[in-house]
Amino acid sequence: MTGPAEVRCMLMRGGTSKGAYFLAESLPAGPAVRDDLLLRVMGSPDPRQIDGLGGAHPLTSKVAVVSPSTHPEVDVDYLFLQVAVDRPEVTDRQNCGNLLAGVGPFAVERGLVAAGDDETSVRIRMVNSGDFATATFPTPGGRVDYTGVTKISGVPGTAAAVVIEFPPGKSRLLPTGNPRDTVAGVGATLVDNGMPTVLIPAGALKATGYEEPKDLEADQELAARLHDIRLAAGQLMGLGDVSGTTVPKLTLLAPPRHGGAVTTRTFIPVRCHTSIGVLGAASVAAGLRIEGSVAHDIAVLPEQGDRLRIEHPSGFTDIESSIDHTSDGGFRARRTAVVRTARKIFDGTVFPVPPTGGRS
């Protein structure tokens, strides 16, 4: 079995990523056959992804699979799949908070959720982790409206706001229980507020934290150090051997330069993100709030309010973040919310490369 020769698909920008959105019923049920099909849909493995939908970068080689949920408090299930660009690899080991911004509108477009007269809220279960989110967006007259005045860094122009709120997760905010650990010889904070993330002072790795992503990617000594830190952090965070996965994320931190709380450079895992992922930003924001963390020492925190501005290479991401102390002396996330935008790019049929590599 090689999967269908054509598949209904919607290409959407979600936040600062772009991906192919599918109904689960449109794809093969078996993961191996499904993944083979998606590699051919996206044009992988090929550094240009010239024969598929992929955009030759991890941020534009993503897939969202959406289906009605059996959970009594959820409308739809969302499975995120990261399709490698230059390797025949599809992984479900992480969430994607950027593509999450498009899941609610996609669910309405496909008739999985009825639209409200003015706005619609869609309750979403992120299958990768079991976490939940609620996305609220405008639907005047019962139709999704992608136009608006909200601007997010890393995306030209403006669009309608998609407000995503995350309830407190069940996982430990600090997987090791420590605000600060020594990981492969470097002081770091290991935090998971929806995305397993390793927070590292940029100076500890002989970086400023203000470099351009391409310059950081070209630093082979830095790449080797990050590799060692990520493998060690994976073990400490209970993720096991992470050599073949994209989590945990690694984020270098530096003091803010433009009025925010902190400056970030995030690796996924070797490419330096041109902005920052939604869930990665949520984990960074929570880490800033934890007394004794490496992030807390660097951050410039507001005197009041929950909003934190996370600076990144192409601008900033605003996160509403607050934490509580637990009875055992630890920490838990109390509230996390973010404003994103999304846009439907096309809705139609995609014709994957035939499994033999030939052309139709």
Side-chain angles (χ1 to χ4, degrees), residues 82-314:
Q82 179 70 60
V83 180
V85 174
D86 55 1
R87 304 185 311 281
E89 178 182 289
V90 180
T91 178
D92 64 357
R93 291 286 299 272
Q94 68 175 80
N95 286 322
C96 177
N98 274 302
L99 282 203
L100 176 63
V103 171
F106 176 78
V108 171
E109 296 266 14
R110 286 291 187 262
L112 301 184
V113 177
D117 291 335
D118 297 310
E119 69 175 21
T120 301
S121 293
V122 177
R123 300 168 302 173
I124 302 164
R125 176 168 60 178
M126 293 175 277
V127 176
N128 305 70
S129 64
D131 292 326
F132 299 88
T134 298
T136 302
F137 48 93
T139 52
R143 295 176 62 89
V144 179
D145 185 359
Y146 297 96
T147 63
V149 298
T150 299
K151 178 166 180 61
I152 61 173
S153 295
V155 177
T158 62
V162 180
V163 179
I164 305 173
E165 184 146 5
F166 304 94
K170 296 180 180 179
S171 60
R172 299 178 68 184
L173 187 59
L174 295 173
T176 67
N178 305 319
R180 187 182 303 229
D181 291 283
T182 299
V183 185
V186 175
T189 294
L190 311 182
V191 61
D192 185 355
N193 189 25
M195 177 66 69
T197 305
V198 183
L199 307 181
I200 309 165
L205 296 179
K206 300 179 181 179
T208 66
Y210 308 115
E211 294 89 346
E212 291 296 319
K214 62 181 178 60
D215 295 329
L216 290 171
E217 290 177 0
D219 187 335
Q220 295 303 307
E221 181 179 351
L222 175 63
R225 293 288 287 121
L226 292 174
H227 175 75
D228 291 343
I229 292 168
R230 203 172 74 84
L231 293 184
Q235 296 291 342
L236 290 172
M237 299 179 83
L239 301 172
D241 181 5
V242 298
S243 57
T245 73
T246 58
V247 291
K249 306 298 189 198
L250 304 175
T251 297
L252 304 187
L253 304 176
R257 279 186 162 180
H258 305 290
V262 73
T263 296
T264 62
R265 296 293 185 267
T266 298
F267 294 82
I268 50 173
V270 294
R271 298 291 297 271
C272 185
H273 205 314
T274 54
S275 56
I276 191 171
V278 170
L279 296 172
S283 289
V284 170
L288 300 185
R289 298 281 190 187
I290 296 172
E291 296 95 333
S293 73
V294 299
H296 191 270
D297 293 347
I298 294 171
V300 178
L301 299 175
E303 293 183 1
Q304 58 184 3
D306 292 342
R307 179 165 296 184
L308 296 174
R309 174 158 291 184
I310 310 299
E311 298 179 6
H312 54 69
S314 54

Side-chain angles (χ1 to χ4, degrees), residues 20 38-44 49 52-54 60-63 83:
L38 293 176
L39 286 166
R40 292 183 283 117
V41 164
M42 302 305 285
S44 298
Q49 291 183 315
L53 296 180
T60 55
S61 187
K62 299 184 172 188
V63 169
V83 180

